[in-house]
Amino acid sequence: MKPEVVVLSRLGPPPIMDALETAYRLHRLWEAGDRQKALDAASSARGLVTTGSLGADAALMDALPALEMISINGVGLDAVDLPAAKARGISVGYTPGVLTEGVADMAVALILAASRKLVEGDRFVREGTWAGGAKLSLGWSIRAKTVGFLGFGRIGREIAKLLSVFGITALYHEPAPLEAVAAGYCDDLVGMAGESDVLVVCCAGGSSTKDLINASVLTALGPDGLLVNIARGSVVCEADLVASLEAGQLGAAALDVFADEPKVPEALLTMDNVILTPHIASGTTETRMAMGQLVLANLEAYFAGKPLITPAPTS
Ligand code: 8YV
């Protein structure tokens, strides 16, 4: 008999869902009109597939009494209650490594889009402003600029590597200096923001990084500075971000993630110096295929009684 698996959201390209359907008896929670009823019907489910942003809290685990294994389609662990999983002896797998390049590409795309006014320029053309004789104000070049990284793990380092062709100076802030990285360590985040033209948020989410990007950091980044976030919305205090942009204390922002997705602070929607994307940094067919395959491989390993391919660090 196929093991039962609860899936919280449709995953990746169609072959991933097809492979899940073939190997497991699925409870497709996103299609359920009545979530509680769907969870009640999944009382024998031993597996749960979730995403980095949806995660799995203790209440969801409690609602699945037979749950033994969680396979996360993502690298972020902040939305999964790992202590609750550990207490229940639930194994947790995730998808590190395979999305590093896709997410880094998106960060570079956001930097170039913001600095060269791609989105604003597109609106300018479509709305007929250009045809009406106006000229778009000048953008700026990323070449030879200083880029600060809040978090310098796999993704931050990949972004720095890509940006090295533009001759940037890379700085990073972490709780402690890292060995063998080609970037300058800054123990003070506000100090790093003050030296940076662009500040890229690429650290993990969760309580240890909540609201690290606050008014002081944004003011230090300054009226010509650009904030880019491809990590978690929780790292940025959105009220401070809105206030800094409104006051002209921060130049621009390019954001792929938000504190309460899919909600976006209303004030950001009308700002020309802000680019907003719907949490798509890992959203290419290639990356989602690789992530989905790792989700499947972790499930397969678990149900074959083997160690997970990529277990979450504390599970
Ligand atoms: C995706 C992510 O949003 O890896 C993560 O933690 O946030 C993203 O890659 C997502 O989990 C894909 O479904």
Side-chain angles (χ1 to χ4, degrees), residues 7-216:
V7 185
L8 291 191
S9 156
R10 180 185 295 283
L11 294 204
I16 301 297
M17 283 312 301
D18 293 347
L20 276 170
E21 286 287 1
T22 304
Y24 307 103
R25 207 190 122 209
L26 298 188
H27 296 267
R28 303 157 77 99
L29 233 69
W30 75 95
E31 284 175 354
D34 183 336
R35 186 180 162 94
Q36 190 51 52
K37 216 167 143 192
L39 284 171
D40 292 345
S43 60
S44 315
R46 296 167 62 201
L48 170 69
V49 174
T50 183
T51 68
S53 27
L54 293 174
D57 59 17
L60 178 60
M61 293 180 215
D62 286 348
L64 297 169
L67 188 62
E68 296 168 22
M69 196 273 176
I70 299 174
S71 194
I72 309 169
N73 187 46
V75 70
L77 298 170
D78 53 303
V80 176
D81 191 332
L82 292 174
K86 197 171 178 177
R88 278 262 311 263
I90 296 170
S91 301
V92 181
Y94 72 142
T95 65
V98 294
L99 46 71
T100 305
E101 293 179 355
V103 174
D105 293 354
M106 180 72 177
V108 174
L110 287 173
I111 292 170
L112 290 174
S115 62
R116 302 305 303 270
K117 304 197 169 193
L118 287 198
V119 178
E120 197 183 338
D122 180 83
R123 274 196 298 265
F124 199 80
V125 173
R126 285 175 200 268
E127 288 168 4
T129 318
W130 191 37
K135 276 199 172 169
L136 186 65
S137 59
L138 296 179
W140 51 273
S141 172
I142 185 63
R143 288 177 189 260
K145 293 284 163 45
T146 297
V147 180
F149 294 86
L150 170 54
F152 209 51
R154 280 180 290 254
I155 293 172
R157 282 179 245 183
E158 182 66 18
I159 301 168
K161 187 178 110 189
L162 294 175
L163 290 177
S164 67
V165 298
F166 294 107
I168 63 145
T169 298
L171 304 174
Y172 72 96
H173 175 74
E174 279 276 352
L178 304 170
E179 273 172 36
V181 293
Y185 179 63
C186 301
D187 64 354
D188 175 34
L189 177 56
V190 175
M192 182 174 82
E195 285 182 57
S196 301
D197 300 291
V198 179
L199 181 57
V200 183
V201 181
C202 40
C203 58
S207 54
S208 63
T209 57
K210 186 162 169 34
D211 290 342
L212 276 186
I213 302 289
N214 57 22
S216 316

Side-chain angles (χ1 to χ4, degrees), residues 193 196-199 213-228 236-238 240-255 268 271 273-274:
S196 301
D197 300 291
V198 179
L199 181 57
I213 302 289
N214 57 22
S216 316
V217 176
L218 296 169
T219 305
L221 187 54
D224 296 322
L226 166 66
L227 177 77
V228 175
V236 177
C237 173
E238 287 181 340
D240 286 5
L241 176 64
V242 168
S244 302
L245 286 162
E246 277 173 344
Q249 282 159 342
L250 173 68
L255 310 167
L268 298 178
M271 294 182 182
N273 50 348
V274 173

Side-chain angles (χ1 to χ4, degrees), residues 241-298:
L241 176 64
V242 168
S244 302
L245 286 162
E246 277 173 344
Q249 282 159 342
L250 173 68
L255 310 167
D256 185 51
V257 285
F258 304 89
D260 186 19
E261 295 173 5
K263 290 188 197 135
V264 171
E266 188 91 27
L268 298 178
L269 300 177
T270 52
M271 294 182 182
D272 271 339
N273 50 348
V274 173
I275 294 179
L276 306 165
T277 53
H279 200 146
I280 51 167
S282 69
T284 66
T285 303
E286 294 84 349
T287 300
R288 289 287 167 86
M289 184 68 103
M291 290 165 68
Q293 279 163 350
L294 199 42
V295 166
L296 284 159
N298 277 321

